[in-house]
Amino acid sequence: PEDREKFLLDARTRGASTVFVNDKIDSPEIQNFPNRIRFSQKTSELHGKIASYLKGNPSEKLKIIAVTGTNGKTSLTNI
């Protein structure tokens, strides 16, 4: 079997119940998961969204402050 199939089998054996898989991939091992979420985006584009969701979307809680002007920006931001 391919590395992907070995990985999926190992994940399922260890108790994983959900698999995120690209629409273009079809493997019999995917059918072993009760929850299969298929997507058409590149996996690399999806990782950040999933991580953010699992951690409660922390970037939504950030306050952004801009410092503009001719002089003193570096000094002000370092204080």
Side-chain angles (χ1 to χ4, degrees):
E2 291 185 39
D3 288 342
R4 173 179 51 241
E5 291 172 349
K6 289 179 187 177
F7 176 81
L8 290 169
L9 180 60
D10 183 53
R12 187 66 185 121
T13 302
R14 292 173 181 243
S17 61
T18 303
V19 63
F20 289 86
V21 64
N22 190 292
D23 281 340
K24 297 174 185 172
I25 296 173
D26 192 23
S27 169
E29 296 300 330
I30 294 169
Q31 303 307 314
N32 292 329
F33 289 83
N35 304 303
R36 295 175 295 276
I37 300 172
R38 294 192 167 271
F39 58 91
S40 57
Q41 287 179 289
K42 290 181 181 177
T43 308
S44 59
E45 294 173 2
L46 196 59
H47 285 166
K49 292 176 184 179
I50 293 170
S52 180
Y53 173 77
L54 292 174
K55 291 296 182 180
N57 299 310
S59 63
E60 292 178 1
K61 298 173 185 114
L62 293 175
K63 293 182 181 182
I64 298 173
I65 299 170
V67 179
T68 63
T70 305
N71 299 315
K73 294 183 294 294
T74 303
S75 297
L76 179 63
T77 59
N78 287 317
I79 295 177

